[in-house]
Amino acid sequence: MFRQIGTAITLSGLTTPLSGAYNVTLDNEAPQALSARSSLNTSTILFLRTGLDPAVAHQLTVLNTGATSGEQGSLLAVGSVDVTHVVQSSG
């Protein structure tokens, strides 16, 4: 679980042949079911959300749900969580 204030959040990591499914929940939204499985090892964005309210603390939850249907891999390799905060210029 990660809690932060910002206007965007990016979850980066790896997709691999041994990776599986994961859920991402932002704030109180329904979980998004995603997969990190691919035929090659690739550094990529696993989740991205922009347009967040900068006045509110946001909570990001990532849950490794294991192997996708019919597959054996369950790896979830997260490299970073980046929070962007855009500051409006007054001049």
Side-chain angles (χ1 to χ4, degrees), residues 1 14 17-18 25 28 34 44 46 52 61-63 72-73 77-78:
M1 181 172 24
L14 294 176
L18 298 176
T25 305
N28 293 321
L34 303 167
T44 190
L46 300 172
L52 300 175
T61 303
V62 181
L63 176 66
Q72 294 181 348
V78 174

Side-chain angles (χ1 to χ4, degrees), residues 11-55:
L11 177 71
S12 299
L14 294 176
T15 56
T16 76
L18 298 176
S19 294
Y22 61 101
N23 288 345
V24 176
T25 305
L26 182 64
D27 300 330
N28 293 321
E29 296 177 358
Q32 275 188 269
L34 303 167
S35 175
R37 186 169 176 76
S38 71
S39 58
L40 301 172
N41 293 345
T42 306
S43 179
T44 190
I45 294 174
L46 300 172
F47 177 81
L48 169 66
R49 179 68 62 86
T50 61
L52 300 175
D53 184 349

Side-chain angles (χ1 to χ4, degrees), residues 3-7 53-58 83-85:
R3 189 176 305 229
Q4 187 61 36
I5 295 176
T7 55
D53 184 349
V56 176
H58 299 282
V83 177
T84 303
H85 187 85

